[in-house]
Amino acid sequence: MGRKPKINQNQPKKNTNNSESFKKADNKIVAQKQPKEITRLRGMRDILPDEYRYGDYVVSVAERICRAYGFAKTEIPALEQVSLYERSTGKQTDVVSKEMYAFVDKDNERVALRPEATPGLVRSYIEHGLFNLPAQPVRLLWTGSLFRREKPQAGRYRQFSQVDVEMFGEASPVADAQLITMGYLILKELGIAAAVQINSIGDAADRDEYAKKLVEYFKDRKVRVLLSVDDKKRLLKNPLRVLDSKDEGTQKALAGAPQMIDHISDEARQHFVKVLEYLDEFDIPYTLNPFLVRGLDYYNRTVFEFCPEGEDGSSQGTLIGGGRYDGLVEFMGGRPTPALGWALGVDRVVLKLKEKAPQSAGPAMDAPDIFLAQLGDAAKRKAMVFFEELRVKGYRVAQNFVKDNLKTQLEQANKLGVKLTLILGQKEIMDNTILIRDMESGMQEVFDFAKVYEEIDKRLK
Ligand code: HAM
């Protein structure tokens, strides 16, 4: 065995030369001698218990509301064929062309870590023939991690979590409004003030026509010079993406640009008007944003994003993003199936929650009511059995059986803020009794062990 590699306990640095310690020889990866620090990769995070509870809380609220609206949990693989994302998310999108973790595996297959869940859920819907299910439309709910090799910054990570909902087989604008309502209700219950921005990008043919109009508009040199270098490239590859550019020059250039909403078909417009009417009916506040197009290829008609109130929807701010994708299921080999969905970025919602209430935000650790302390070997053994009995009966109990010192255990009980500490020592074992200490008054009394439940129930009431 060689020397152990060091573990860096600080923030990860940009991974500069780790790969230099490895060399390829005879197709085997061989570690060279000098040990390198092992750190988290850039943009990847460990989420420690104190932080994790926020995410847990967000997911539990979101999932509860989605389930109430008929969505059922489902799982998909983290690894899929590259072509799944190329065909659905879109080869030219930033997500696929720049950010996807894609590689050739040992079977020579091009695989990718999922950068979003929608394509996998569409594949799963088609592959398992879910259009045959008796309950239609099909409502899927998914929660998990995704991977995008983006430039890391606050609220933008290379591994992040989403709660994602997808509805298959429903063309009615009620579905659009209902999905948006669910997102609104989730953020409202979490106490996060967010505004819905909404737009209609029409159907595929409208989009193509409009893209031509936009390209035409930018042929005018006076507006073209205002475009950033990146947006000039976008105009060639994916003209609609220029619309949601954050570049100041581009935004100026867009001031006189033709608006998508004026170039969509009558059917698409009627659909959109209905969605807005339902939102009014449900009392969901929204803002029309003619420049909202979303960065994924599959959308048509309604697209929307929830941004924290007062923020303009810069890409790190968006909390929920989604829309319709009526053509995707068929494009991926399924039957023609109208569909729509959204994804909530758990990490970003957590950031907002913590901003609001840094220490005390709703998701408290499961606070125990009772601490079970023990002193001596026989007492420890009895306490371990008793603890399990209490747990199964539904009492919230804490313990620290690895400690022998009673003072340490009482200090811990104090810190946890429990109401009662139950103490088993050698004497209590001999007499078949138990000590109950009221942590507020500091009074302690001995009880017959057989009466323990009666007494704790009385005191916890
Ligand atoms: P998206 O806009 O790419 O849409 O992502 C949805 C949400 O995921 C964003 O609004 C944001 O909160 C979060 N998110 C995205 N990238 C990151 C990141 N690098 N770090 C942290 N959070 C991030 C989709 O993924 C679509 N699949 C949504 C959808 C479902 N459309 C229809 N169905």
Side-chain angles (χ1 to χ4, degrees):
M1 291 267 281
R3 277 198 284 162
K4 279 190 194 156
K6 281 188 280 180
I7 307 280
N8 184 332
Q9 300 187 340
N10 301 316
Q11 286 297 309
K13 284 184 240 105
K14 206 171 176 171
N15 241 338
T16 46
N17 57 358
N18 274 5
S19 57
E20 285 171 21
S21 63
F22 296 98
K23 235 190 184 162
K24 258 192 152 181
D26 299 321
N27 271 342
K28 283 184 196 138
I29 306 286
V30 181
Q32 290 207 313
K33 265 185 196 143
Q34 81 278 26
K36 289 283 169 193
E37 284 175 350
I38 297 177
T39 61
R40 270 169 291 146
L41 292 169
R42 200 164 165 253
M44 301 285 178
R45 290 165 311 144
D46 299 312
I47 303 176
L48 303 180
D50 203 32
E51 165 104 14
Y52 198 96
R53 68 200 167 100
Y54 289 93
D56 241 4
Y57 176 57
V58 170
V59 170
S60 70
V61 169
E63 288 191 348
R64 175 165 42 73
I65 291 178
C66 296
R67 282 178 207 267
Y69 277 79
F71 287 77
K73 269 307 270 286
T74 186
E75 183 54 297
I76 45 166
L79 205 62
E80 300 258 13
Q81 293 178 26
V82 166
S83 48
L84 171 69
Y85 302 109
E86 284 178 344
R87 292 196 62 192
S88 51
T89 313
K91 231 177 178 171
Q92 306 286 359
T93 59
D94 287 353
V95 170
V96 171
S97 68
K98 294 191 190 152
E99 297 161 4
M100 199 158 70
Y101 285 91
F103 56 97
V104 177
D105 78 356
K106 287 184 175 164
D107 298 324
N108 242 344
E109 184 134 36
R110 290 171 68 231
V111 295
L113 284 174
R114 57 186 175 212
E116 56 150 341
T118 311
L121 290 163
V122 167
R123 180 202 46 69
S124 174
Y125 172 85
I126 299 170
E127 208 169 316
H128 297 279
L130 298 190
F131 49 83
N132 284 323
L133 287 182
Q136 296 287 333
V138 173
R139 296 180 176 94
L140 301 181
L141 165 62
W142 175 87
T143 299
S145 295
L146 300 152
F147 306 85
R148 293 184 194 175
R149 201 171 185 286
E150 294 194 75
K151 197 167 159 218
Q153 49 187 275
R156 190 193 285 170
Y157 312 108
R158 291 182 168 181
Q159 178 174 345
F160 59 96
S161 302
Q162 283 181 349
V163 173
D164 183 293
V165 290
E166 311 292 350
M167 190 192 284
F168 296 97
E170 187 51 71
S172 161
V174 181
D176 310 41
Q178 202 178 46
L179 241 69
I180 294 170
T181 303
M182 281 161 52
Y184 176 81
L185 293 176
I186 292 167
L187 295 177
K188 189 168 165 214
E189 181 160 336
L190 292 168
I192 295 171
V196 193
Q197 302 203 3
I198 187 165
N199 191 22
S200 174
I201 57 171
D203 291 312
D206 305 336
R207 262 169 79 165
D208 292 349
E209 265 317 293
Y210 175 73
K212 280 186 206 149
K213 294 231 157 57
L214 203 60
V215 171
E216 196 58 38
Y217 169 76
F218 280 110
K219 279 193 179 148
D220 181 347
R221 280 203 49 196
K222 283 202 288 296
V223 280
R224 197 180 169 78
V225 288
L226 296 171
L227 285 181
S228 71
V229 180
D230 278 351
D231 287 325
K232 279 190 184 125
K233 284 187 203 151
R234 281 199 188 109
L235 196 63
L236 291 175
K237 285 208 283 185
N238 194 351
L240 261 50
R241 286 310 322 267
V242 174
L243 291 183
D244 65 359
S245 166
K246 300 291 170 277
D247 181 80
E248 249 178 64
T250 305
Q251 285 185 357
K252 267 193 203 146
L254 281 168
Q259 296 208 347
M260 176 99 71
I261 197 80
D262 299 325
H263 295 85
I264 62 176
S265 67
D266 285 347
E267 276 169 312
R269 194 190 320 279
Q270 273 165 21
H271 182 96
F272 191 48
V273 168
K274 281 268 175 224
V275 174
L276 301 181
E277 279 173 11
Y278 286 122
L279 288 178
D280 289 336
E281 195 76 28
F282 301 157
D283 237 355
I284 309 293
Y286 57 84
T287 313
L288 296 176
N289 179 352
F291 296 125
L292 183 68
V293 285
R294 311 258 312 128
L296 313 166
D297 272 5
Y298 45 70
Y299 291 115
N300 71 316
R301 298 199 175 184
T302 322
V303 287
F304 56 87
E305 285 184 350
F306 285 77
C307 302
E309 221 145 63
E311 289 180 28
D312 64 348
S314 62
S315 58
Q316 299 97 277
T318 310
L319 304 172
I320 299 179
R324 258 199 184 274
Y325 50 92
D326 293 332
L328 185 62
V329 175
E330 187 179 10
F331 185 67
M332 296 304 288
R335 301 173 176 192
T337 310
L340 67 163
W342 55 241
L344 172 149
V346 175
D347 310 77
R348 288 190 193 167
V349 174
V350 164
L351 280 180
K352 280 287 142 200
L353 208 60
K354 286 174 82 177
E355 255 172 40
K356 200 174 58 101
Q359 268 105 48
S360 60
M365 298 263 197
D366 282 343
D369 299 315
I370 302 170
F371 191 93
L372 180 55
Q374 36 71 40
L375 188 67
D377 204 39
K380 194 190 293 280
R381 272 183 268 132
K382 180 164 179 175
M384 285 166 83
V385 174
F386 183 41
F387 174 80
E388 184 51 20
E389 205 178 288
L390 284 163
R391 187 191 70 76
V392 169
K393 287 195 152 84
Y395 293 92
R396 293 186 298 187
V397 206
Q399 48 72 36
N400 198 347
F401 294 144
V402 292
K403 295 281 180 232
D404 296 324
N405 184 316
L406 188 59
K407 193 165 158 246
T408 317
Q409 293 177 67
L410 289 177
E411 277 168 7
Q412 192 180 351
N414 235 336
K415 267 195 209 140
L416 286 169
V418 294
K419 293 193 187 89
L420 304 175
T421 298
L422 312 182
I423 305 168
L424 282 171
Q426 229 154 332
K427 185 164 182 340
E428 286 74 31
I429 297 293
M430 305 262 282
D431 303 347
N432 203 22
T433 56
I434 189 160
L435 260 176
I436 299 185
R437 184 185 175 103
D438 182 298
M439 297 302 281
E440 208 177 290
S441 66
M443 299 273 288
Q444 51 186 55
E445 285 174 77
V446 183
F447 290 90
D448 191 343
F449 193 76
K451 297 234 168 87
V452 66
Y453 284 113
E454 197 181 307
E455 192 56 30
I456 55 182
D457 285 349
K458 200 161 78 192
R459 288 171 182 237
L460 287 181
K461 236 177 212 161

